[in-house]
Amino acid sequence: QVQLVESGGGLVQAGGSLGLSCAASGSIFSITTMGWYRQAPGKQRELVAIITSGGFTNYADSVKGRFTISRDNAKNTVYLQMNSLKPEDTAVYYCNADVVLSSTSSYRYWGQGTQVTVSS
């Protein structure tokens, strides 16, 4: 079994910064892509940023230049540094990981979600 445990998040004023982390543990052979998504009340879950095992990154237009995704492959951990936060960044943030379980099996796992609230 694989678990993704998120930490970080909380309440911050507009213009402030927060950092999120997400550690994967369990029967992991390797992890390819890791990412962050978010879901605001009444809205669909949306991509925030992804990062491959080789370090290729992709960001939603709404967070480019403000958020930075990174990962530590040795620790199976992905990070999201969020700067210049805006009230519209308020959402529950979820991490995910595409985990290779064996030579023939892989699965996308999700974290439990962590609340980020940005006050104006």
Side-chain angles (χ1 to χ4, degrees):
Q1 186 70 323
V2 175
Q3 287 188 320
L4 270 61
V5 178
E6 301 171 11
S7 60
L11 174 64
V12 66
Q13 288 188 331
S17 298
L18 280 175
L20 305 179
S21 63
C22 172
S25 62
S27 301
I28 298 170
F29 181 73
S30 65
I31 300 177
T32 55
T33 302
M34 303 184 82
W36 291 95
Y37 288 70
R38 67 186 181 187
Q39 187 167 18
K43 294 187 176 181
Q44 290 187 332
R45 189 174 298 189
E46 63 177 5
L47 170 71
V48 176
I50 58 170
I51 183 168
T52 68
S53 58
F56 173 81
T57 60
N58 191 35
Y59 296 90
D61 288 342
S62 59
V63 307
K64 281 181 181 177
R66 299 189 298 122
F67 290 11
T68 301
I69 189 171
S70 61
R71 64 189 280 177
D72 185 331
N73 291 330
K75 296 181 178 179
N76 290 330
T77 299
V78 62
Y79 307 93
L80 186 68
Q81 179 62 38
M82 304 180 290
N83 299 327
S84 302
L85 282 161
K86 305 176 181 179
E88 51 263 43
D89 294 319
T90 295
V92 178
Y93 283 69
Y94 298 89
C95 67
N96 72 7
D98 292 334
V99 178
V100 177
L101 303 171
S102 69
S103 60
T104 58
S105 176
S106 62
Y107 190 80
R108 174 167 290 183
Y109 291 89
W110 290 87
Q112 78 281 6
T114 185
Q115 178 70 46
V116 172
T117 302
V118 184
S119 63
S120 57

